[in-house]
Amino acid sequence: MQTFIRPFVIQLEERLSEPVPRIQVLVGPRQVGKTTGVRQLLERSSLPWHYANADDLLAVDRTWLLQQWQQARLLGPSALLIIDEIQKVPNWSETIKGLWDKPGHTMRLVVLGSSSLQLQKGLTESLAGRFELIRVYHWTLPELCQAFNYSFEQYLSYGGYPGAVRYEPDFERWYAYLKDSIIESVIGKDILLNHRVANPALFRQAFEIICRYPAQEISYTKLLGQLQDKGNTDLVKYYLELYSGAFLVQSLAKFSTREHLTRSSSPKILLACPALYTMHYGPDAAKNSEVRGRLFELAVGAHLHQLPGTLTYWRN
């Protein structure tokens, strides 16, 4: 069976072939193939390379990062250095900035990690103007068709995570994989350990409520009314921002030529993939005609969201 290569691998390969590439940063949800894609890149690359994973050690620090940089430099002037799970290195962005700004080097550098929120925070703090983002999204219908001979019906129920494909015949096992290995890791590790959330139980409940509205317009007030706690619409907006940064949910604004109307509009909830709806409402949910229509719109919206530009919606 021929190995399937996602488009971001080709894009990354092209950027690294430039004479003076910037730092390449891969961000995206967990378990969609970022590390696998990087390994495919290394198999195809003619550059001397050094790969290091901060997850391989119990404790990593600035010294460890300096050691990886030095090992790559010893390979030659155009060596490729890849640091995986870089967000686990304390103050990694400041260290990378100091190394990158030293004159004379022609290194190629790729960084990635499982926590997109932590990665993006480090980028905005220290590395402005020095990097390019490559967003690696959930798997699309054409990708799943090519890699797993997926059907459209499968995609509307299970699409998004390639690692879960093997468990689809056993829904309980499929559900446990998504919940324990992916969603709980995102909520528990990526978000709650690194961002201020006063009520973690409420935050988890909010995700379940959000997943009820795939590709639906809903007011912040209505969402707030379903949470089992007092709060305000700013709380709901904050929760949506965190889930958006973690590549689980997108909150689309309504299109208007008047900017203030766009900012004040009720959001359309766009889940990152159909699997997130099925996870909460079962594999037969798509048999309902209304739900199926929502999931179809979700599939289209998720595909459009991966294209460059700003995605909005219109009511009529």
Side-chain angles (χ1 to χ4, degrees), residues 52-64:
N53 192 329
D55 206 26
D56 292 339
L57 302 173
L58 293 177
V60 290
D61 54 19
R62 181 176 183 272
T63 301
W64 177 85

Side-chain angles (χ1 to χ4, degrees), residues 6 137-145 150 155 160 302-303 306:
R6 298 198 69 190
Y137 294 98
H138 291 79
W139 284 48
T140 63
L141 174 61
E143 289 177 313
L144 289 166
C145 287
Y150 233 52
Y155 182 77
H303 189 85
Q306 298 190 18

Side-chain angles (χ1 to χ4, degrees), residues 2-286:
Q2 187 177 3
T3 302
F4 179 74
I5 295 177
R6 298 198 69 190
F8 81 87
V9 178
I10 308 302
Q11 183 183 20
L12 182 57
E13 192 173 48
E14 291 172 351
R15 290 187 180 183
L16 291 172
S17 67
E18 296 173 355
V20 188
R22 298 186 184 278
I23 300 169
Q24 300 300 312
V25 183
L26 300 183
V27 297
R30 287 177 176 263
Q31 298 297 314
V32 295
K34 295 187 295 296
T35 298
T36 299
V38 163
R39 294 189 181 278
Q40 291 173 334
L41 171 76
L42 295 179
E43 292 176 0
R44 297 159 55 94
S45 178
S46 60
L47 296 171
W49 55 266
H50 175 62
Y51 172 87
N53 192 329
D55 206 26
D56 292 339
L57 302 173
L58 293 177
V60 290
D61 54 19
R62 181 176 183 272
T63 301
W64 177 85
L65 203 52
L66 295 173
Q67 290 172 348
Q68 309 313 312
W69 181 272
Q70 187 59 30
Q71 287 188 49
R73 287 199 65 182
L74 294 175
L75 296 175
S78 297
L80 169 60
L81 172 61
I82 296 179
I83 306 290
D84 205 343
E85 298 294 350
I86 196 168
Q87 80 279 351
K88 296 189 175 182
V89 182
N91 300 316
W92 66 270
S93 56
E94 291 85 355
T95 303
I96 291 295
K97 176 184 176 182
L99 293 168
W100 191 258
D101 287 349
K102 288 182 178 179
H105 81 81
T106 54
M107 290 260 289
R108 276 96 169 113
L109 177 61
V110 178
V111 299
L112 65 152
S114 56
S115 176
S116 59
L117 282 167
Q118 287 178 266
L119 264 177
Q120 293 173 84
K121 181 180 178 182
L123 295 173
T124 55
E125 287 176 348
S126 302
L127 294 174
R130 298 169 178 83
F131 68 91
E132 288 183 286
L133 275 183
I134 295 180
R135 293 177 175 84
V136 184
Y137 294 98
H138 291 79
W139 284 48
T140 63
L141 174 61
E143 289 177 313
L144 289 166
C145 287
Q146 186 175 345
F148 300 102
N149 197 28
Y150 233 52
S151 70
F152 181 63
E153 299 302 325
Q154 276 181 286
Y155 182 77
L156 287 186
S157 293
Y158 298 104
Y161 293 100
V165 172
R166 71 179 77 174
Y167 306 129
E168 288 175 14
D170 183 348
F171 178 76
E172 295 300 324
R173 191 177 181 187
W174 179 88
Y175 170 85
Y177 171 77
L178 252 68
K179 183 178 185 298
D180 300 333
S181 296
I182 300 177
I183 304 304
E184 184 52 40
S185 293
V186 173
I187 295 176
K189 295 179 181 179
D190 300 346
I191 300 178
L192 294 180
L193 286 181
N194 299 285
H195 296 269
R196 183 178 176 275
V197 175
N199 190 333
L202 188 70
F203 184 69
R204 285 184 166 88
Q205 182 200 12
F207 183 65
E208 294 183 13
I209 292 172
I210 289 166
C211 287
R212 296 175 188 170
Y213 300 98
Q216 292 187 54
E217 178 187 349
I218 183 170
S219 69
Y220 293 113
T221 303
K222 184 175 180 179
L223 285 172
L224 179 65
Q226 297 184 56
L227 294 177
Q228 296 174 356
D229 197 14
K230 294 181 179 180
N232 54 46
T233 56
D234 287 338
L235 178 70
V236 178
K237 292 178 182 179
Y238 178 57
Y239 284 179
L240 283 170
E241 286 174 5
L242 291 178
Y243 283 126
S244 176
F247 287 81
L248 290 179
V249 175
Q250 289 300 319
S251 175
L252 304 185
K254 185 169 66 175
F255 173 79
S256 175
T257 56
R258 301 177 182 179
E259 187 175 343
H260 71 282
L261 293 178
T262 297
R263 290 197 305 268
S264 63
S265 65
S266 295
K268 181 183 279 284
I269 302 298
L270 188 67
L271 303 182
C273 63
L276 296 178
Y277 183 84
T278 298
M279 176 184 166
H280 290 90
Y281 298 101
D284 295 329

